[in-house]
Amino acid sequence: MTDFQKYIQRYLDLVPCGNWLEALKTSGEKTVAVYSKLSEEQSYFAYAEGKWTLKELLLHLSDTERIFQYRILAIARGDQNELPGFDEELYASRSFANERHPDSLLEEYQLLRKSSRILLETMNASALETVGSANGNQISAETIGKLIVGHNLHHLNIIEERYLPNL
């Protein structure tokens, strides 16, 4: 197993067996439920020095989903170009998430999730099975869709374990 396969496997292992498109919906709903209960003051909380605030974490989920959507679209449509990676720490440092109102961040997340659901639910099996190259690795459009779910669940677990108990 390559380092890339090991890296993504930790996210794929979090995707519930069965209908992963349903898990896309439910993980989004759970994220909205968690963030809807936070006060503005709580949204600035980071569990340790150098860790993201809850606002930054939510925008990280949106940034990642937006990038994954593009990868899904490009690969499913047969684009043979190498799709670039991204530096999540750089993106977070330049996100200005803490300057935004939590409702704005949550609205953006919800719109992106709805867009992901429409994109993925309307693709046929052959489009989802299409393989392309992203960040130097071969990957299918469907696997990237599952990564959206697993990545979101990974961060929900961190929120539940490290953020919420300390609020």
Side-chain angles (χ1 to χ4, degrees), residues 52 56 60 63 85-96:
W52 294 337
E56 290 168 325
H60 164 70
D63 285 351
F86 72 105
D87 181 339
E88 63 186 34
E89 293 295 338
L90 175 65
Y91 277 48
S93 72
R94 299 179 57 87
S95 72
F96 307 104

Side-chain angles (χ1 to χ4, degrees), residues 15 19 21 25 28-29 34 42 58 64-65 77 90 92 98-99 103 113 139 162 164:
V15 179
N19 186 348
L21 287 170
K25 179 182 178 201
E29 291 169 347
V34 167
Q42 290 172 322
L58 182 58
T64 302
E65 189 148 343
R77 299 293 195 261
L90 175 65
N98 290 323
E99 297 175 16
D103 291 344
R113 182 51 55 100
I139 192 165
R162 300 179 190 164
L164 296 182

